Amino acid sequence: MDKLLITGGRPLEGEVRVSGAKNAALPIMCTALLTEDPLKLTNVPALMDLRTMAKLLAQMGVEVGTQSDCGIELRARAVTNPEAPYELVKTMRASVLVLGPLLARCGQARVSLPGGCAIGARPVDQHIKGLQAMGATISIEHGFMNARAERLRGARIAMEVVTVTGTEQLMMAAALAEGTTVLENAAREPEVVDLARCLRMMGAKIEGAGSDLIRIEGVGSLAGAEHRVMPDRIETGTFLAAAAAAGGRIRLTGAAPDTLAATLGKLREAGARIQTGDSTIEIEMAGRPAAVSVTTAPYPGFATDMQAQFMALAAIADGAAQITETIFENRFMHALELQRLGADIAIHGNTAVVTGVERLQGAKVMATDLRASASLVIAGLVAQGRTLIDRIYHLDRGYDALERKLGALGARIERVH
Ligand code: EPZ
């Protein structure tokens, strides 16, 4: 199994280009099920999860063609097998996003329940309730959701929790429904907006994406489209947090600064100098960062997917920080591994109190989930000596060539088999 070996203690210098967003590309790939025409996507990151989604769609009958330069072409002339098997869904919970499109296109779907996850229970009750409100019958048998609907009908759906993929699921289903759907308490994440942008290019009638009230007027059919996937704001934030922790000066290109306001605000509070352009972000950190406290919240609040990286930053900051996780009930696994590197962290329920230390020491650690692994990489960049990170398959699910990009910024990092 691959591991990452990092020798810490060097500031980051230089320029890298951020990749397309995993969490936008995944739902957008599912829109291919909503039309017989080709969907051409560019700026698609080279990630394990995207390959899993392509495999999932292909086994349903979708033609999948990869193009050079981070492009993919999908075409569902016919959906011959409206089923998402457990073997694929268990490796990637976002597979559940095929449920709504399959129902809208085929009137039936059989999708494995995603099951548990390292960071929390993560039920899909809002997905199910929303589709049922649109007239679907959904039974759960033998670990599968069996769904049927002659034609989905528009409905007013007040979501009980703010859910990103739940909002995306219902938006896709409603695009081909009869009548109008209104989603209340909808997620406002930029990835939801990017999905709505693609659906509108396919002919969908959607208003309000980016707000907590989304209105979708169903249409009879959708056409193909060409769509450029938005930049990955979490990958961007990860590089910025790495530079704030390790020190130095980096420039990120191909970025979307307007999707990172909460993260940039906290980095400035830590003492970083930040300049933004339309698609560039430059950060410079001289000296030890100041401790900053964060509380995660749905967008535009501070992203839960940046929490672990900020815990690594707090581990070497000047002072004590409070890190409060409000979205997932078990998203502090990285704290125990950071303690192995010498971090001073005390956990009280959903709050971690991190007292910065002068220096971390390199050690062997283990990644437990995608963003936890990113926090261990950041800690390894600042730790004295060498850090060996095990189970980096977690990292490969969401970061496109991370060690190559960090290497280009001067980091001493290598993949060891
Ligand atoms: C998306 O997951 C992202 N994944 C996650 O990123 C991200 O952490 C999360 O949104 C929050 O921002 C993708 O977009 C593929 P939620 P999602 O439904 O949609 C509860 C990463 O690191 N809930 O918004 O699955 C749920 O348990 C990943 O890239 C219900 O109770 O998250 C959680 O507490 C990790 N019932 C809260 O809502 C439901 O039906 C928010 O979850 C759905 C969710």
Side-chain angles (χ1 to χ4, degrees), residues 49-235:
D49 276 7
L50 279 294
R51 288 192 286 278
T52 305
M53 184 59 88
K55 215 192 286 177
L56 180 63
L57 294 171
Q59 62 90 47
M60 293 176 184
V62 178
E63 297 152 44
V64 178
T66 47
Q67 287 145 1
S68 59
D69 184 29
C70 306
I72 191 169
E73 180 168 332
L74 303 162
R75 185 164 196 176
R77 287 177 218 263
V79 178
T80 50
N81 173 35
E83 175 159 341
Y86 175 66
E87 287 65 34
L88 287 174
V89 175
K90 75 175 179 190
T91 65
M92 182 187 68
R93 355 172 16 84
S95 310
V96 74
L97 282 164
V98 299
L99 180 61
L102 285 174
L103 261 179
R105 171 79 185 268
C106 314
Q108 60 168 318
R110 186 166 187 268
V111 174
S112 170
L113 274 170
C117 169
I119 65 176
R122 303 184 73 178
V124 291
D125 58 306
Q126 297 300 303
H127 299 234
I128 295 170
K129 283 182 188 157
L131 291 169
Q132 287 171 330
M134 298 170 76
T137 56
I138 302 181
S139 63
I140 307 221
E141 286 150 23
H142 307 295
F144 276 84
M145 294 177 278
N146 299 292
R148 277 188 179 280
E150 205 149 305
R151 180 160 185 210
L152 294 170
R153 293 187 306 274
R156 193 172 191 94
I157 302 167
M159 307 177 83
E160 291 148 34
V161 291
V162 175
T163 158
V164 177
T165 50
T167 301
E168 294 166 342
Q169 179 87 271
L170 300 178
M171 205 161 66
M172 289 190 281
L176 284 178
E178 191 162 359
T180 300
T181 298
V182 176
L183 302 180
E184 292 177 15
N185 196 27
R188 303 168 58 186
E189 268 66 5
E191 293 76 18
V192 171
V193 175
D194 203 35
L195 172 63
R197 199 178 292 129
C198 180
L199 285 166
R200 272 201 301 273
M201 276 198 282
M202 296 167 76
K205 295 187 173 157
I206 301 176
E207 289 163 16
S211 79
D212 60 5
L213 192 74
I214 302 178
R215 194 184 171 80
I216 307 110
E217 193 185 326
V219 295
S221 66
L222 292 171
E226 295 195 12
H227 180 81
R228 181 175 176 76
V229 174
M230 65 171 280
D232 194 318
R233 62 192 171 102
I234 306 299
E235 183 201 25

